[in-house]
Amino acid sequence: MQFSVRVTEYQKNMMLNICDAELLGKKITQDELNIHISESYYGERFVEKEEARDLLKQSSIINMVGKETISLSIKLGVGSENGIKTISGIPFLIVFNM
């Protein structure tokens, strides 16, 4: 399983945007809500599960999309199932560890 990631710094914190690789470039629509899982936001590079795990543990701010990504983060104790939102069957989760 591959993940697509972009790592940046935001207010001196490591920010990780991560998604299941197959979702990159997809547009998701539900009712009047439209979301584009864009390469400019999530697509800096592809990583394998081990590196994704390390990035999830190290990051202070995480924007994540996709069943595999969120499943991995929950197993690591990063984030909570209570915070997961689903749009057209695709789960999203944002975590702040300040």
Side-chain angles (χ1 to χ4, degrees), residues 1-2 5 7 13 25 32 46 52 58 72 79 83 88 94-96:
M1 175 73 205
Q2 281 196 318
V5 300
V7 178
N13 292 289
E32 294 182 17
F46 293 105
Q58 297 167 7
L72 178 60
S88 291
I94 299 173
V95 174
F96 296 93

Side-chain angles (χ1 to χ4, degrees), residues 5 12-13 18 22 24-25 32 34 36 39 41-42 47 59 61 67 78 82 89 93-94 96 98:
V5 300
K12 300 185 181 181
N13 292 289
I18 181 170
E22 69 269 7
L24 193 63
E32 294 182 17
N34 297 301
H36 181 214
E39 287 188 37
Y41 197 75
Y42 291 97
V47 299
S59 300
I61 304 166
K67 292 176 183 174
V78 177
N82 294 337
L93 181 61
I94 299 173
F96 296 93
M98 304 302 243

Side-chain angles (χ1 to χ4, degrees), residues 5-17 40-42 44-45 55 58-63:
V5 300
R6 177 174 297 279
V7 178
T8 57
E9 185 179 305
Y10 179 75
Q11 296 181 351
K12 300 185 181 181
N13 292 289
M14 183 171 152
M15 185 167 102
L16 173 65
N17 301 326
S40 64
Y41 197 75
Y42 291 97
E44 183 175 59
R45 61 191 173 98
L55 289 168
Q58 297 167 7
S59 300
S60 300
I61 304 166
I62 309 166
N63 297 297

Side-chain angles (χ1 to χ4, degrees), residues 11-94:
Q11 296 181 351
K12 300 185 181 181
N13 292 289
M14 183 171 152
M15 185 167 102
L16 173 65
N17 301 326
I18 181 170
C19 70
D20 296 2
E22 69 269 7
L23 294 175
L24 193 63
K26 301 257 185 201
K27 293 183 180 180
I28 300 166
T29 302
Q30 182 175 321
D31 301 322
E32 294 182 17
L33 183 62
N34 297 301
I35 294 177
H36 181 214
I37 303 169
S38 68
E39 287 188 37
S40 64
Y41 197 75
Y42 291 97
E44 183 175 59
R45 61 191 173 98
F46 293 105
V47 299
E48 297 297 328
K49 189 174 188 176
E50 188 172 314
E51 187 174 354
R53 184 182 301 121
D54 292 342
L55 289 168
L56 285 164
K57 288 180 185 177
Q58 297 167 7
S59 300
S60 300
I61 304 166
I62 309 166
N63 297 297
M64 52 189 123
V65 182
K67 292 176 183 174
E68 295 297 323
T69 299
I70 292 174
S71 175
L72 178 60
S73 73
I74 297 298
K75 286 178 188 172
L76 294 170
V78 177
S80 164
E81 291 198 30
N82 294 337
I84 299 171
K85 302 297 179 209
T86 303
I87 301 168
S88 291
I90 306 293
F92 289 78
L93 181 61
I94 299 173

